[in-house]
Every structure is written in structure tokens, then in C-alpha cells.
């Protein structure tokens, strides 16, 4: 515990801004993660021991500090699109068994601004009658902008994935989770089965979107994780197919 505390304390003293500092910090965090993982392993083996119970507060503080530093470093690396630093941060998240935290950092720094930008421009009045953007247009634009603005980042993250790896950052889950939340808030009417033809078109555009996002899963294990994820389940549950079929047939 004291060794990890010392390493994190040294990082505090070396804090600074700029790409070089962020890259240096990612290297330090990658080194700290090996000690941190070893500590977590010993703690899991010693569950129930009294002296470990006495360390709970200290361990929670370490946890908070480690992930605050890692989240800050990853966020800056994503914003700067600095691939070596991003890859080190992702590796660090994965090595301490926290791929969901990596997905959250990717979602906040990369996906959220792109989705917000696309939805804002899609909400503008059409220049011609009947020229409004369909939800299929929105999905296509989101995926196009993600490729244009972050395609290299996604490929860099996915290059670290192997099918035998226990935990990995799943960028596809992050993309669906953010798009689903933003679209549900800005275009809730697309889920209404009251106009069956429009519902049918919107639903099929949404299923096609899921298939295209799944292409960002580089391994079978990540594909299965994507298909079984809470993000995909929430996305699909918005579509009331029972009511649609009763109105259509």
C-alpha cells in the first residue's frame, strides 16, 4: 500500500499540462498499474483478514486517486488524439480490470462531442420542403464523423485486443450508449408506433446502425459482449414491436 501511495504522490508532484506531460504521466501510470494490480490481487486473496479491514479507508483513497489521475490523463490524450498515450491509458485500464472506465473515457471525450455536433446540425430547419433528415441520415452522419474524427483512435484501441484477453475496452458499446441516450432525448417521436410506416423505417434504420457499429468489435468475445450489453438492450427496448404489429396487422 505504501509503495503505491508513494508512486501516486510522486505523480502529484510532477503534475503539469501539455502533450509531453500527458505522455509522461501515461507512462508513469502504466508502471504504477503493475503494482496496483499486484496489490488488488493480494487483497482479493486476503478477504476477511482483520488487518485488511483496517486498511479499507486507505485503499478507497488510493482507488479514487489512481482513477482520477488515469481518467484525467486519458481524457487529455483522447482530446489531443495522441495515439501512443491513448494506447498506454487503455492498456492501464485493462491491466487493472477496468475496461468499462476506459469505455466511459472514450465515450465522454470522443463520442459525446461528435454526437452532439451531428444532432445540432440535424435539428436545423431543412433548406427545402421535405428535406428534413431522417434518423437513418443521422446515424450515417454520426458514423461518418466518428470515422473521420476518430477512426485512427478506434483502430489503435482495437489493435490491442486479442480474443484470449480477459478484459478490453469495447468502443462499440460506448458508441451505442451515447447515441441511444442523445437520440432518445432529442428525437423521442421516432419510437412512436402511431404511424406504422415511419416506425418501420426508423426501426430498420436503427437495427442497421447496430450492425454497422458492431463492425468496430475486432474479436468474437467483444462481439458477444456488445450483443449482450446493457447499451444494446436499452437501445432495442425503446421499440414497442408488439404495439406496432397490432396496428399494422
Amino acid at each position: 500500500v505504501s509503495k503505491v501511495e508513494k508512486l501516486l504522490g510522486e505523480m502529484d508532484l510532477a503534475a503539469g499540462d501539455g502533450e509531453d506531460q500527458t505522455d509522461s504521466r501515461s507512462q508513469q501510470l502504466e508502471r504504477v498499474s503493475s503494482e496496483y494490480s499486484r496489490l488488488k490481487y493480494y487483497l482479493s486473496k486476503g478477504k476477511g483478514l482483520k488487518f485488511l479491514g483496517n486498511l479499507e479507508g486507505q485503499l478507497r483513497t488510493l482507488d479514487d486517486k489512481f482513477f482520477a489521475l488515469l481518467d484525467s490523463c486519458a481524457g487529455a490524450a483522447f482530446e489531443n488524439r495522441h495515439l501512443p498515450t491513448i494506447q498506454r491509458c487503455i492498456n492501464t485500464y485493462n491491466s487493472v480490470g477496468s475496461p468499462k472506465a476506459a469505455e466511459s473515457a472514450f465515450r465522454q471525450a470522443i463520442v459525446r462531442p461528435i454526437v452532439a455536433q451531428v444532432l445540432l446540425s440535424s435539428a436545423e430547419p431543412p433548406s427545402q420542403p421535405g428535406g428534413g433528415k431522417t434518423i437513418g441520415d443521422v446515424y450515417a452522419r454520426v458514423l461518418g464523423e466518428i470515422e473521420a474524427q476518430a477512426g485512427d483512435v478506434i483502430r489503435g484501441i482495437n489493435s490491442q485486443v486479442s480474443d484470449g484477453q480477459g478484459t478490453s475496452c469495447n468502443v462499440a458499446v460506448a458508441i451505442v450508449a451515447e447515441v441511444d441516450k442523445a437520440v432518445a432525448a432529442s428525437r423521442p417521436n421516432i419510437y412512436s408506433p402511431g404511424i406504422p410506416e415511419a416506425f418501420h423505417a426508423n426501426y430498420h434504420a436503427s437495427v442497421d446502425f447496430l450492425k454497422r457499429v458492431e463492425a468496430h468489435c475486432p474479436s468474437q468475445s467483444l462481439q458477444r459482449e456488445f450483443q449482450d450489453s446493457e447499451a444494446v438492450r436499452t437501445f432495442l427496448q425503446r421499440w414497442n414491436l408488439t404495439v406496432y404489429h397490432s396496428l399494422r396487422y
Side-chain angles (χ1 to χ4, degrees):
V1 174
S2 59
K3 185 173 184 180
V4 175
E5 282 183 323
K6 182 174 182 293
L7 290 168
L8 292 176
E10 289 171 353
M11 290 184 64
D12 270 350
L13 293 173
D17 296 321
E19 192 171 290
D20 289 343
Q21 287 82 0
T22 301
D23 190 50
S24 175
R25 171 156 289 190
S26 73
Q27 295 177 45
Q28 291 174 300
L29 282 164
E30 196 172 35
R31 289 193 291 271
V32 171
S33 70
S34 63
E35 296 295 335
Y36 184 82
S37 297
R38 189 176 296 116
L39 172 62
K40 301 291 271 188
Y41 172 78
Y42 290 139
L43 291 175
S44 68
K45 292 296 182 183
K47 279 183 179 177
L49 294 178
K50 185 176 179 181
F51 84 94
L52 288 179
N54 296 333
L55 291 173
E56 281 185 3
Q58 194 176 357
L59 295 171
R60 277 196 299 270
T61 300
L62 272 183
D63 238 26
D64 293 343
K65 192 169 190 177
F66 177 80
F67 281 105
L69 288 167
L70 182 53
D71 290 344
S72 174
C73 185
F78 278 130
E79 288 173 10
N80 293 325
R81 305 297 198 265
H82 191 255
L83 194 53
T85 306
I86 290 170
Q87 289 179 311
R88 272 192 290 272
C89 288
I90 296 296
N91 182 59
T92 301
Y93 280 116
N94 289 341
S95 70
V96 297
S98 297
K100 293 302 173 188
E103 288 169 22
S104 178
F106 172 79
R107 176 179 171 180
Q108 290 180 39
I110 298 286
V111 186
R112 185 164 297 164
I114 292 174
V115 173
Q117 172 194 359
V118 170
L119 287 175
L120 182 63
S121 64
S122 299
E124 294 172 357
S127 56
Q128 298 177 3
K133 293 181 174 64
T134 67
I135 194 60
D137 296 331
V138 171
Y139 290 143
R141 176 95 187 279
V142 165
L143 292 175
E145 288 298 324
I146 287 175
E147 173 59 32
Q149 298 185 39
D152 289 343
V153 169
I154 291 173
R155 284 183 283 278
I157 293 172
N158 285 343
S159 71
Q160 298 172 273
V161 173
S162 65
D163 229 8
Q165 193 170 346
T167 57
S168 300
C169 173
N170 196 325
V171 297
V173 171
I175 292 170
V176 169
E178 184 60 31
V179 171
D180 175 60
K181 181 181 178 182
V183 168
S186 64
R187 291 193 169 210
N189 291 340
I190 68 167
Y191 309 107
S192 172
I195 305 176
E197 293 77 11
F199 179 92
H200 181 269
N202 292 335
Y203 174 73
H204 278 277
S206 298
V207 171
D208 182 63
F209 168 73
L210 286 182
K211 291 176 181 176
R212 293 178 66 187
V213 175
E214 189 176 344
H216 289 302
C217 297
S219 68
Q220 291 183 350
S221 61
L222 284 185
Q223 287 174 357
R224 288 191 296 270
E225 180 188 300
F226 173 77
Q227 292 161 2
D228 296 337
S229 68
E230 181 65 27
V232 170
R233 192 157 47 246
T234 300
F235 184 92
L236 291 174
Q237 283 175 346
R238 297 191 190 278
W239 302 92
N240 195 331
L241 297 178
T242 302
V243 173
Y244 163 74
H245 285 296
S246 70
L247 291 173
R248 188 74 183 248
Y249 305 108

